[in-house]
Amino acid sequence: MKKIIIGIIMLAIIITGFGVIFLHFEPTKQTNNAPTASAKKKNTVEKTPVSEIAIPTLFVHGYSGTANSLGGMIDRFVSDGFATKSLVMTVATDGTIKTTGTYDKFSLNPTIQVIFEDNKSSMVNQTAWIQSVMKELKNNYHIEKVNALGHSMGGVSLTNYIEKVGNDKAYPVVEKLVLIGAPLNGLVIGDDGVTNYDLTEDGPKQSSARYSEFMKNKQNIPSNLQVLNIAGDTLDGTKSDGSVSVASALSGKFIFKDQVASYEEEVFTGKNAAHSKLHENSDVDTKVAKFLWDTEKVD
C-alpha cells in the first residue's frame, strides 16, 4: 500500500512538471484582437483597389493635317493631368501602320494619335485607313472600346467609318465621338451667312451628296454612341469658322440625334473659333475633357 501511495505521488509530480514546462513555452496569445503579420498582409492585398481598364481616345486630324494638328491638344490634356500620351499610329496609303509609343491599358485615359501619310486623300480612303487602325487595336492590343475625336475631315471620315462598321464585332466599340468643325454637309459658305444649305427645323434646305449618304446609312450607327458636335463662328458675318459653316457642322444633329444614346452640340465664337484654332482653344479643351472624361481644368 505504501508503494502505491508513493507511486501516485511520483506520477503527480511528473504531470505537474510537464504542465509547468508546457506553460512556459506556450506562445503568447493575442489578447487585443490585433491581426497577425500574415493577416495584415492579407488585408492589405484585399484593400488594394483594382485598376480599371481605361478606354483610349483616338485623335484623327483633318485634310492636310499633320502630327501637329492635334498634337497640341493631346499635350495639353497630358499636361493638365487628364490623359496619358500613348501611341502614335501612322498609316501608309496601302493601309500598313507604323506605331510608336507604348500602350498601358491601366494608364489614365491613354491617347492614340492617328496620322495619315497621304494627308490630302478622300473620305473613302481615310475611312479604310481608320478601319486598319481599329483592327490593329482590336487584334494586337486587345482593345474592346474606344473614344474618337476628329477635326474637320477627320470628323467626316470617323462618321463614315461608324456608319460603315456599325456593330461589327471585328472592331472596337466606339463609346464617345467628338466632332470639331466637321463639314458634314459640304463646304459652301455665304459672305452674308446665308446659303442654300442652311438649317431648318427638319434639316438642311439642301443636301450635299456626302450628307445624303450619311442620312441614308444612319440606321447603322450604334445606339450606345454618345456624340459631342462642336462648330465655330468667327463672327465675321459668314456664320462659319472661315472654312466650315455652322450649318454644315451642325447638320450632324439630323444624322445622329435620333440614333444615339446622347447628342450634344455647341458653337464657339470669336477669333479663337477659327477653323484651325478650334483645336487650340482652351474653352474647347475644357468642353472636350468634360465630355470624354467627366473632368475639367481647375485654375
Side-chain angles (χ1 to χ4, degrees):
M1 183 67 180
K2 185 176 181 181
K3 289 183 179 180
I4 294 174
I5 293 172
I6 293 172
I8 292 172
I9 293 171
M10 291 298 294
L11 181 60
I13 292 171
I14 292 171
I15 291 173
T16 302
F18 274 112
V20 171
I21 293 171
F22 178 78
L23 289 172
H24 180 75
F25 287 102
E26 183 181 17
T28 303
K29 293 181 180 179
Q30 298 286 341
T31 58
N32 59 356
N33 296 321
T36 61
S38 60
K40 286 181 180 178
K41 183 177 181 181
K42 182 179 179 182
N43 289 341
T44 302
V45 172
E46 289 176 348
K47 291 180 181 179
T48 300
V50 177
S51 299
E52 293 183 359
I53 295 177
I55 297 177
T57 301
L58 273 69
F59 291 77
V60 182
H61 64 70
Y63 188 82
S64 76
T66 66
N68 294 326
S69 299
L70 292 173
M73 176 178 269
I74 292 171
D75 288 342
R76 290 191 301 275
F77 285 150
V78 172
S79 178
D80 290 339
F82 296 154
T84 302
K85 194 166 187 177
S86 182
L87 304 178
V88 177
M89 305 181 78
T90 303
V91 192
T93 53
D94 63 358
T96 57
I97 300 170
K98 178 183 177 181
T99 303
T100 59
T102 58
Y103 176 72
D104 178 358
K105 65 182 180 180
F106 295 116
S107 62
L108 175 68
N109 302 323
T111 66
I112 300 174
Q113 186 175 16
V114 179
I115 301 170
F116 303 125
E117 277 190 357
D118 181 359
N119 61 0
K120 297 181 180 179
S121 193
S122 66
M123 177 191 73
V124 173
N125 286 340
Q126 287 189 0
T127 300
W129 296 333
I130 292 171
Q131 282 183 264
S132 296
V133 166
M134 293 292 196
K135 277 191 176 179
E136 178 92 359
L137 295 178
K138 175 88 172 185
N139 297 335
N140 293 347
Y141 292 90
H142 310 292
I143 293 173
E144 299 293 334
K145 297 178 181 180
V146 298
N147 298 323
L149 179 151
H151 174 251
S152 192
M153 186 70 169
V156 171
S157 297
L158 280 170
T159 299
N160 194 51
Y161 163 81
I162 287 169
E163 287 197 346
K164 183 175 181 181
V165 169
N167 290 301
D168 191 336
K169 294 183 179 179
Y171 304 92
V173 174
V174 180
E175 294 275 294
K176 295 181 180 181
L177 173 67
V178 179
L179 305 176
I180 301 178
L184 298 169
N185 193 23
L187 291 165
V188 176
I189 296 174
D191 291 337
D192 58 357
V194 179
T195 74
N196 293 333
Y197 296 86
D198 286 347
L199 298 179
T200 70
E201 290 184 0
D202 300 319
K205 293 179 180 177
Q206 186 172 318
S207 299
S208 65
R210 174 190 296 166
Y211 181 79
S212 295
E213 282 298 304
F214 284 152
M215 291 298 289
K216 180 175 137 181
N217 298 314
K218 69 178 186 176
Q219 71 277 1
N220 296 331
I221 298 173
S223 60
N224 68 284
L225 185 65
Q226 300 175 59
V227 180
L228 170 62
N229 192 5
I230 291 173
D233 184 353
T234 60
L235 302 178
D236 65 353
T238 65
K239 293 183 181 178
S240 76
D241 63 13
S243 297
V244 177
S245 71
V246 173
S248 181
L250 298 190
S251 64
K253 172 182 178 180
F254 303 95
I255 299 170
F256 290 104
K257 189 170 183 181
D258 295 333
Q259 305 295 320
V260 297
S262 68
Y263 173 84
E264 182 181 358
E265 60 187 29
E266 184 161 342
V267 179
F268 289 84
T269 59
K271 64 180 182 180
N272 289 328
H275 191 63
S276 294
K277 290 186 177 180
L278 280 169
H279 54 63
E280 305 301 324
N281 187 318
S282 61
D283 291 333
V284 173
D285 285 357
T286 299
K287 184 70 177 181
V288 170
K290 178 68 174 174
F291 174 75
L292 288 176
W293 307 305
D294 195 27
T295 187
E296 58 189 21
K297 185 175 180 180
V298 178
D299 294 327

